[in-house]
Amino acid sequence: MRLQVLGRRWLHFSTVLMMLGVSLGTAYAQSVSSGSIQGIVKDESGGILPGVTMTLTSPSLQVPQITQVSDASGFYKFVDLPAGTYKLKSELSGFSTAIRDELRLTVGFVATVDVAMKVGQMEESVTV
């Protein structure tokens, strides 16, 4: 008899814990108010490009721009971005600047924006 009572209490307790976990997970999912933009930077032949300066601008940002640099595997990531329209500029010496305009980001979305950069002409200036 005593085991049956303990068994029922344990069942009720575990049910309450499960319901609490589900409700907290739902609340967390609904509280997401930002998105992310990420991708890999490569050259035209598919080679990875580390060290690319990635500049993100948008009227939705509280600052004029955010800058990241692609890592050794060419990966970059901008996180916690408010919903809005973004412009992504990619710059690396020896390559033409790549610009992606009108990137629309919605709440909770992770946009994958891979960039292919073209080899540019080397410019040299001499100051006399």
Side-chain angles (χ1 to χ4, degrees):
M1 175 90 170
R2 187 173 169 116
L3 287 177
Q4 288 179 338
V5 172
L6 286 175
R8 280 192 214 138
R9 285 185 182 167
W10 179 251
L11 180 62
H12 291 316
F13 179 71
S14 61
T15 303
V16 169
L17 281 178
M18 187 181 345
M19 291 172 59
L20 181 62
V22 169
S23 64
L24 287 176
T26 303
Y28 174 76
Q30 292 174 351
S31 71
V32 174
S33 61
S34 62
S36 300
I37 297 176
Q38 65 184 28
I40 296 177
V41 188
K42 298 180 180 181
D43 63 16
E44 289 179 298
S45 67
I48 300 285
L49 290 177
V52 178
T53 301
M54 310 297 289
T55 305
L56 193 65
T57 57
S58 173
S60 301
L61 293 171
Q62 293 181 0
V63 294
Q65 65 186 26
I66 302 172
T67 303
Q68 295 285 334
V69 176
S70 62
D71 66 13
S73 61
F75 182 76
Y76 72 92
K77 186 173 188 176
F78 294 94
V79 297
D80 297 329
L81 301 171
T85 303
Y86 289 84
K87 176 181 177 180
L88 180 65
K89 182 167 68 169
S90 310
E91 298 174 290
L92 182 64
S93 180
F95 290 85
S96 298
T97 299
I99 296 176
R100 295 285 303 266
D101 260 335
E102 300 296 319
L103 297 171
R104 298 188 193 282
L105 187 64
T106 57
V107 172
F109 183 67
V110 177
T112 300
V113 182
D114 293 334
V115 177
M117 297 184 71
K118 295 180 181 181
V119 176
Q121 294 181 342
M122 294 296 289
E123 294 182 18
E124 186 175 318
S125 62
V126 177
T127 305
V128 181

